[in-house]
């Protein structure tokens, strides 16, 4: 019988395979596969799934209830409440100067004095014209403010006397004419004479009224000349410090020339802007705390003084002015300040210590311990008070959270609470 080639090959190969499977090395290989040193064997440590991982020891804390001071951040510039640019009202040569940069100035202190000799001559001239007018009006030098009635002025009294005399003469002439004792022409003459004296009286009355008006004008001229003499001595209108000096002794200056800038240092104002969403929280007298760069370790305080009633449409903020006490003169106008407005204090606020909170890739979490197993819980934070964070969402307030070894924890990690008895069998392989 003829055997085909494929079947012949299989028939010859089968005895070879049988001999190989029954060879003398089979027992050692089996022993090696099942030995404790083989990591892939049943007893190997990387056989993994047959044993439990050891638990991690952590410290824990409960959710706290604390009191939190609510606050609104601010930044702004310190400015002087009063900043005065002092100018002269008269021209003259500076003969005295008391302006030094940084010098403390009180209200009424002399800043400069101008040469006032020409001003004094102008005053003397105005006083002379006034005396002349007073004499024409017949004023009593001891009572210069008592102005007599028009009828008591000498010129008016003379005019009145002449008019009255002319009236008497006219009446006499009329009597004589009626008797035929004097010609008619005498009557016409006396009538004309009376009209002349009446006109003179009217003119005298008008002259007196003009003199009285001139009296007021010349008195004002004397007062103005005296004021210019006083203006030659320039005094400080406010308390403050000289921040700018613009004239020197011996210099001739004209009217309305600025000579110095004086700024008030106590109190100062902190001018800032607050977002419109806080408009219902801001009110006057709220305390403010802030720092400035020259004194980084020192906290300065103030209180809200003024609040703008309108919102800036571009920035969506409203202006706030804070009054700051600066009795020690540490703060200066122009300092940049950063701080907070203290609005109100909330009690019974849910919070956790800083070490209980972990933030990774923008996600804030805590690690809740539930029956010895970790549950990673995302939370949202609120205010930061001391070493505590306010918890807004994510926790109910009854949880126990881990505060140590957070970088080793994930959901499902078994933990042992530090200081507590370890559960039976914990850390043993099954």
């Amino acid at each position: 019988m003829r055997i085909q080639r494929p079947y012949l090959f299989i028939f010859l190969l089968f005895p070879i395979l049988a001999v190989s499977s029954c060879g003398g090395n089979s027992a050692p290989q089996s022993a090696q596969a099942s030995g404790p040193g083989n990591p892939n064997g049943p007893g190997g440590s990387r056989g993994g799934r047959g044993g439990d991982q050891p638990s991690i020891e952590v410290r824990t804390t409960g959710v706290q209830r604390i009191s939190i001071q609510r606050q609104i951040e601010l930044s702004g510039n310190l400015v002087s409440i009063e900043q005065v640019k002092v100018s002269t009202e008269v021209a003259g040569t500076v003969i005295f100067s008391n302006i030094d940069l940084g010098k403390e100035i009180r209200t009424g202190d002399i800043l400069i004095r101008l040469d006032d000799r020409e001003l004094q001559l102008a005053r003397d001239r105005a006083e002379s014209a006034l005396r002349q007018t007073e004499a024409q009006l017949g004023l009593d030098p001891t009572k210069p403010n008592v102005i007599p009635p028009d009828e008591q002025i000498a010129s008016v009294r003379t005019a009145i006397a002449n008019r009255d005399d002319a009236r008497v003469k006219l009446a006499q002439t009329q009597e004589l004419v009626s008797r035929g004792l004097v010609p008619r022409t005498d009557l016409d003459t006396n009538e004309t004479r009376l009209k002349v004296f009446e006109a003179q009286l009217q003119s005298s009355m008008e002259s007196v009224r003009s003199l009285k008006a001139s009296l007021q004008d010349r008195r004002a001229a004397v007062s103005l000349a005296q004021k210019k003499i006083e203006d030659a001595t320039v005094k400080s209108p406010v308390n403050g410090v000289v921040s700018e000096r613009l004239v020197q002794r011996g210099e001739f200056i004209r009217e309305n020339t600025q000579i110095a800038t004086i700024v008030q240092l106590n109190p100062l104002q902190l001018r800032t802007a607050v977002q419109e969403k806080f408009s219902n929280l801001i009110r006057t007298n709220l305390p403010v705390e802030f720092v400035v760069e020259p004194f980084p370790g020192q906290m300065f305080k103030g209180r809200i003084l003024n609040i703008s009633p309108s919102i800036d449409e571009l920035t969506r903020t409203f202006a706030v002015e804070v009054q700051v006490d600066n009795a020690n003169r540490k703060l200066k106008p122009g300092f940049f300040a950063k701080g907070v407005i203290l609005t109100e204090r909330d009690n019974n606020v849910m919070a956790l210590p800083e070490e209980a909170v972990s933030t990774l890739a923008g996600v804030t979490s805590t690690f809740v311990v539930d029956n010895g197993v970790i549950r990673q819980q995302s939370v949202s934070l609120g205010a930061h008070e001391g070493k505590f964070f306010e918890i807004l969402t994510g926790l109910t307030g009854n949880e126990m959270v881990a505060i140590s070894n957070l970088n080793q924890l994930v959901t499902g990690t078994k933990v042992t609470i530090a200081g507590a008895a370890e559960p039976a069998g914990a850390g043993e392989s099954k």
Side-chain angles (χ1 to χ4, degrees):
M1 180 179 61
R2 184 180 178 180
I3 300 175
Q4 296 183 359
R5 185 170 300 174
Y7 294 104
L8 178 61
F9 176 75
I10 293 173
F11 179 77
L12 294 175
L13 182 60
F14 180 77
I16 298 174
L17 293 176
V19 172
S20 298
S21 63
C22 297
N25 294 331
S26 60
Q29 290 177 357
S30 176
Q32 182 179 4
S34 60
N38 185 2
N40 295 322
S45 62
R46 283 166 40 183
R49 301 183 182 274
D52 288 337
Q53 295 181 354
S55 62
I56 298 174
E57 184 179 69
V58 296
R59 293 182 293 110
T60 61
T61 184
V63 178
Q64 308 288 321
R65 294 289 177 171
I66 66 171
S67 175
I68 287 184
Q69 174 64 61
R70 300 298 181 186
Q71 56 192 28
I72 299 170
E73 293 185 356
L74 64 83
S75 61
N77 294 315
L78 290 170
V79 299
S80 175
I81 297 178
E82 290 186 349
Q83 180 169 324
V84 181
K85 298 182 183 297
V86 184
S87 302
T88 60
E89 296 188 34
V90 296
T93 302
V94 179
I95 60 175
F96 171 79
S97 175
N98 188 34
I99 307 173
D100 294 317
L101 192 65
K103 184 173 184 178
E104 187 91 14
I105 298 294
R106 297 292 182 182
T107 301
D109 287 353
I110 295 176
L111 300 179
I112 65 168
R113 185 180 288 119
L114 304 178
D115 186 355
D116 61 355
R117 287 176 294 176
E118 291 186 10
L119 299 176
Q120 289 181 0
L121 291 174
R123 180 195 59 187
D124 294 343
R125 184 176 181 180
E127 286 181 344
S128 176
L130 174 61
R131 298 288 91 81
Q132 181 181 2
T133 302
E134 290 176 344
Q136 290 174 340
L137 290 172
L139 300 186
D140 186 351
T142 62
K143 300 178 180 180
N145 294 324
V146 179
I147 302 176
D150 295 349
E151 294 78 8
Q152 295 182 11
I153 305 300
S155 59
V156 176
R157 290 204 309 267
T158 300
I160 291 174
N162 291 335
R163 181 201 64 183
D164 293 344
D165 180 66
R167 284 178 178 177
V168 172
K169 290 291 180 69
L170 178 61
Q172 292 174 350
T173 302
Q174 287 174 341
E175 180 67 24
L176 293 174
V177 169
S178 64
R179 294 179 182 182
L181 298 177
V182 295
R184 179 76 182 180
T185 55
D186 290 348
L187 178 62
D188 294 340
T189 299
N190 286 325
E191 287 178 348
T192 302
R193 183 170 175 269
L194 176 59
K195 291 179 180 179
V196 170
F197 285 129
E198 286 179 342
Q200 288 179 352
L201 175 60
Q202 183 65 30
S203 176
S204 296
M205 297 286 287
E206 291 175 355
S207 296
V208 167
R209 295 189 183 100
S210 176
L211 286 173
K212 287 184 176 181
S214 178
L215 177 67
Q216 301 302 322
D217 178 68
R218 292 184 176 181
R219 283 180 173 176
V222 171
S223 298
L224 180 60
Q226 181 62 39
K227 180 181 181 299
K228 287 186 176 181
I229 293 175
E230 295 172 357
D231 290 342
T233 301
V234 183
K235 299 180 179 180
S236 174
V238 296
N239 294 332
V241 176
V242 176
S243 65
E244 191 176 18
R245 173 181 177 173
L246 301 173
V247 296
Q248 303 292 333
R249 184 178 178 180
E251 181 180 354
F252 178 83
I253 57 177
R254 299 187 179 277
E255 295 179 1
N256 301 320
T257 299
Q258 184 180 342
I259 63 170
T261 301
I262 299 176
V263 296
Q264 179 178 314
L265 292 184
N266 185 37
L268 294 178
Q269 269 190 5
L270 170 57
R271 293 181 181 173
T272 184
V274 178
Q275 297 179 31
E276 64 174 327
K277 65 181 179 180
F278 299 122
S279 60
N280 63 321
L281 302 177
I282 301 300
R283 61 183 183 275
T284 56
N285 289 323
L286 282 179
V288 174
E289 296 179 348
F290 65 92
V291 296
V292 293
E293 188 173 356
F295 305 100
Q298 184 172 356
M299 183 70 70
F300 297 90
K301 297 182 179 181
R303 287 192 174 274
I304 293 180
L305 182 64
N306 300 313
I307 302 171
S308 173
S310 60
I311 303 295
D312 188 310
E313 296 181 358
L314 296 178
T315 62
R316 310 311 307 175
T317 61
F318 59 96
V320 172
E321 293 178 346
V322 179
Q323 183 163 316
V324 179
D325 179 72
N326 190 33
N328 56 14
R329 302 297 195 273
K330 282 189 173 182
L331 299 175
K332 298 183 183 298
F335 276 2
F336 179 74
K338 294 185 67 176
V340 293
I341 302 172
L342 306 179
T343 56
E344 59 184 357
R345 181 168 288 277
D346 282 348
N347 298 317
N348 199 32
V349 176
M350 188 163 57
L352 282 176
E354 296 171 340
E355 59 266 29
V357 178
S358 172
T359 300
L360 181 63
V363 178
T364 303
S365 303
T366 60
F367 296 90
V368 179
V369 179
D370 189 3
N371 294 325
V373 179
I374 288 295
R375 172 171 54 86
Q376 186 172 352
Q377 177 65 50
S378 297
V379 295
S380 58
L381 304 181
H384 187 217
E385 182 80 9
K387 295 184 178 181
F388 287 87
F389 282 112
E390 177 187 11
I391 304 300
L392 298 178
T393 61
L395 299 178
T396 63
N398 300 319
E399 293 87 351
M400 186 69 66
V401 297
I403 59 172
S404 64
N405 296 327
L406 302 190
N407 58 339
Q408 303 179 38
L409 304 180
V410 294
T411 297
T413 302
K414 292 185 177 182
V415 294
T416 301
I417 299 176
E422 185 175 352
E428 297 178 358
S429 299
K430 293 184 180 179

